[in-house]
């Protein structure tokens, strides 16, 4: 694994870099071939609270974990645990689909990192300013798989192409903890 470790309000010392690389490298045991992409690690400190964000982009999956803790080393351990849970959940889902269909096929589509919708309302005027635009390819999947991907990314919504109808759909987490589905009227 290649690492891109950045610090915000913190100096990334050799000891910190070594600890992060050692812990995250343990994830390689879950893969037949280690990921060839670069692992992005962002360390930051705000008000004595340490935060670590880890993103591991792969062909069929995007692993992402974010943890805040008073101790940086504890935060690293917690984010690795979170990534391991995501990998186990993903592998369980693939194995279940493989058993159901009894034929190998691409089960999980390439994931896109979503940010929350960034719209700033200026107080001086009624003008709405869009501060960021993202473009991505939608992959066909069912709503259950889209919810799983949304949960793995830790987002409130997920946009995908319905594998049955070919329409663009959105799944989202409701305030009551359940899920909603938005489909176009055709």
């Amino acid at each position: 694994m290649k690492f891109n470790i950045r610090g915000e309000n913190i100096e990334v010392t050799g000891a910190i870099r070594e600890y992060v690389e050692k812990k995250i490298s343990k994830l390689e045991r879950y893969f037949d071939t280690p990921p060839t992409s670069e692992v992005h690690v962002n360390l930051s400190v705000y008000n004595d609270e340490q935060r670590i964000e880890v993103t591991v982009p792969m062909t069929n999956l995007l692993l992402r974990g974010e943890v805040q803790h008073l101790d940086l080393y504890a935060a690293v351990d917690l984010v690795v645990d979170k990534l391991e849970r995501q990998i186990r959940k993903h592998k369980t889902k693939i194995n279940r689909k493989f058993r159901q269909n009894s034929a190998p096929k691409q089960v999980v589509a390439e994931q896109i990192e979503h940010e929350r919708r960034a719209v700033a309302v200026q107080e001086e005027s009624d003008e709405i300013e869009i501060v960021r635009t993202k473009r991505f390819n939608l992959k066909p999947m069912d709503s259950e798989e889209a919810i799983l991907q949304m949960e793995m990314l830790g987002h409130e919504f997920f946009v995908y192409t319905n594998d049955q109808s070919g329409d663009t759909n959105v799944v989202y987490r409701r305030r009551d903890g359940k899920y909603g589905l938005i489909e176009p009227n055709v």
Side-chain angles (χ1 to χ4, degrees):
M1 291 179 136
K2 300 175 197 166
F3 292 90
N4 178 6
I5 302 174
R6 298 183 340 179
E8 189 176 319
N9 297 332
I10 186 174
E11 180 183 343
V12 181
T13 63
I16 293 173
R17 177 177 297 279
E18 185 178 317
Y19 188 79
V20 168
E21 289 179 0
K22 177 184 164 194
K23 288 295 188 173
I24 295 176
S25 292
K26 289 183 179 182
L27 297 176
E28 288 182 354
R29 70 176 181 243
Y30 290 102
F31 304 104
D32 297 333
T33 57
T36 55
S37 59
E38 196 170 72
V39 176
H40 300 280
V41 180
N42 291 328
L43 306 169
S44 57
V45 178
Y46 295 107
N47 299 331
D48 294 331
E49 191 163 75
Q50 318 290 321
R51 188 173 104 199
I52 180 170
E53 297 176 41
V54 178
T55 306
V56 185
M58 295 182 289
T59 307
N60 295 327
L61 177 67
L62 177 75
L63 297 174
R64 184 177 182 282
E66 181 177 334
V67 172
Q68 291 183 342
H69 198 276
L70 294 174
D71 179 29
L72 178 64
Y73 292 98
V76 172
D77 293 341
L78 291 171
V79 81
V80 169
D81 290 345
K82 188 179 268 191
L83 294 172
E84 284 180 332
R85 281 193 306 274
Q86 288 180 13
I87 293 169
R88 284 194 301 270
K89 190 173 184 181
H90 173 72
K91 285 195 170 209
T92 301
K93 184 176 187 309
I94 286 178
N95 289 336
R96 184 178 31 174
K97 281 214 172 195
F98 181 74
R99 284 191 307 267
Q100 286 175 352
N101 298 335
S102 69
K105 68 176 188 177
Q106 183 169 348
V107 178
V108 178
E110 180 179 315
Q111 289 304 303
I112 298 89
E113 178 64 30
H114 291 292
E115 283 190 357
R116 289 185 181 262
R117 188 173 179 204
V119 177
V121 178
Q122 297 177 349
E123 295 178 9
E124 296 84 34
S125 68
D126 293 337
E127 184 178 319
I128 295 176
E129 177 186 0
I130 297 174
V131 295
R132 183 158 187 181
T133 301
K134 287 209 155 193
R135 296 181 187 278
F136 51 88
N137 295 324
L138 298 177
K139 298 294 180 177
M141 62 180 75
D142 59 18
S143 59
E144 179 183 320
E145 187 173 343
I147 290 171
L148 177 67
Q149 294 302 320
M150 176 182 70
E151 290 296 326
M152 287 190 355
L153 290 171
H155 291 283
E156 299 295 316
F157 68 94
F158 189 81
V159 181
Y160 68 100
T161 300
N162 185 310
D163 60 357
Q164 301 295 318
S165 66
D167 294 332
T168 300
N169 291 356
V170 177
V171 290
Y172 62 95
R173 186 179 303 109
R174 297 167 42 100
R175 288 192 182 108
D176 62 5
K178 296 180 181 173
Y179 300 100
L181 173 65
I182 299 174
E183 298 177 315
N185 252 349
V186 181

